[in-house]
Amino acid sequence: MLWDQIVDSCPDDDSDNDIRSYLFDGSHNLIFCILVGDLVARGDKSLECLRFVKSLGNAAQTVLGNHDLHLIATALGIKKVKPRDRVDAIFNAPDFD
């Protein structure tokens, strides 16, 4: 699961000033996370990824990558959806808005 990947990617030793203390509180709740680009179209779980990021609320800040910008452009009708975009699940989701 994506959550486990975030937790596993955080160093767990003192040599890195224990970054976990900056990202998580004492109950292992995420305090802050920066997600850097290409949240979609990099695999077959783009919808799940977007839902997870949304579930983080104000704890997550994102920087949009080219795939994310392309998704927005297709959603707004600025660009056409191509078969390789893999956005059908996102556009057909009940929580698309």
Side-chain angles (χ1 to χ4, degrees):
M1 179 179 191
L2 189 56
W3 177 255
D4 294 329
Q5 291 173 355
I6 290 173
V7 173
D8 290 343
S9 69
C10 295
D12 197 20
D13 59 40
D14 293 332
S15 65
D16 291 311
N17 296 321
D18 197 8
I19 196 169
R20 286 176 185 256
S21 65
Y22 295 105
L23 297 179
F24 300 93
D25 65 15
S27 300
H28 301 288
N29 294 314
L30 184 68
I31 298 170
F32 186 74
C33 182
I34 298 173
L35 302 160
V36 184
D38 292 345
L39 301 176
V40 298
R42 301 301 284 171
D44 60 351
K45 297 189 185 251
S46 295
L47 178 59
E48 291 87 346
C49 181
L50 291 175
R51 285 179 174 155
F52 172 74
V53 172
K54 186 175 180 182
S55 77
L56 296 176
N58 292 333
Q61 297 294 314
T62 61
V63 176
L64 298 177
N66 62 317
H67 289 94
D68 310 312
L69 292 171
H70 180 71
L71 175 69
I72 293 168
T74 56
L76 295 174
I78 297 169
K79 294 185 94 178
K80 294 187 187 254
V81 177
K82 300 171 192 159
R84 69 175 187 261
D85 289 341
R86 297 186 247 168
V87 295
D88 290 340
I90 296 169
F91 288 162
N92 295 323
D95 53 346
F96 173 66
D97 61 339

